[in-house]
Amino acid sequence: MLTLHYNPLTISAATAIILEELEVPYTPILVDFRESAQQSPAYLALNPKGRVPTLQTPQGVLTETGAILEYLAAQHGPHLIPAVPFQAARMRETMYYLASTVHVNYAHAMRGPRWADLESS
């Protein structure tokens, strides 16, 4: 059985979507940011990064979206990863671009106060 620690306002939604699409049974556990649950000792023991998603699997814990999505594809949807190495690399190229460039820019645009506290004109 899989357990997904998530917050619906984050990229962890991608993991929930693929679990639903692949019809993989899992237990969802909300990580409530209003309560700072991601910084609780119990959650940090599970994921020292204090981030979501965290996926508990029978083999252990996975914590990065790209790794989680590849694991789910390999375990439950091998048709999602191209068999030809170059095509598989192109798939990963797109996935990493979305995760490391598009997602980061989108996320930081809504978190300005984390990075600066001076108003500018």
Side-chain angles (χ1 to χ4, degrees), residues 78-93:
H79 61 284
L80 297 175
I81 299 175
V84 176
F86 185 79
Q87 291 174 340
R90 293 302 302 259
M91 179 271 308
R92 288 181 182 95
E93 177 181 60

Side-chain angles (χ1 to χ4, degrees), residues 71-115:
Y71 167 80
L72 293 172
Q75 290 289 106
H76 304 283
H79 61 284
L80 297 175
I81 299 175
V84 176
F86 185 79
Q87 291 174 340
R90 293 302 302 259
M91 179 271 308
R92 288 181 182 95
E93 177 181 60
T94 301
M95 184 170 69
Y96 298 156
Y97 173 74
L98 291 172
S100 64
T101 302
V102 176
H103 174 257
V104 171
N105 286 315
Y106 174 77
H108 290 311
M110 299 194 307
R111 297 181 188 147
R114 278 190 181 178
W115 312 109

Side-chain angles (χ1 to χ4, degrees), residues 26-44:
Y26 70 101
T27 301
I29 297 179
L30 174 66
V31 179
D32 190 343
F33 291 170
R34 292 172 298 180
E35 307 266 333
S36 297
Q38 74 277 21
Q39 297 301 317
S40 71
Y43 191 74
L44 290 172

Side-chain angles (χ1 to χ4, degrees), residues 63-78:
T63 62
E64 295 296 323
T65 300
I68 291 169
L69 295 179
E70 286 213 33
Y71 167 80
L72 293 172
Q75 290 289 106
H76 304 283

Side-chain angles (χ1 to χ4, degrees), residues 1-5 15 19 24-27 46 53-64 67-73 75-76:
M1 184 64 159
L2 301 175
T3 302
L4 174 63
H5 300 262
T15 300
L19 285 164
V24 175
Y26 70 101
T27 301
L46 183 65
T54 297
L55 184 69
Q56 291 177 273
T57 76
Q59 296 82 25
V61 174
L62 294 171
T63 62
E64 295 296 323
I68 291 169
L69 295 179
E70 286 213 33
Y71 167 80
L72 293 172
Q75 290 289 106
H76 304 283

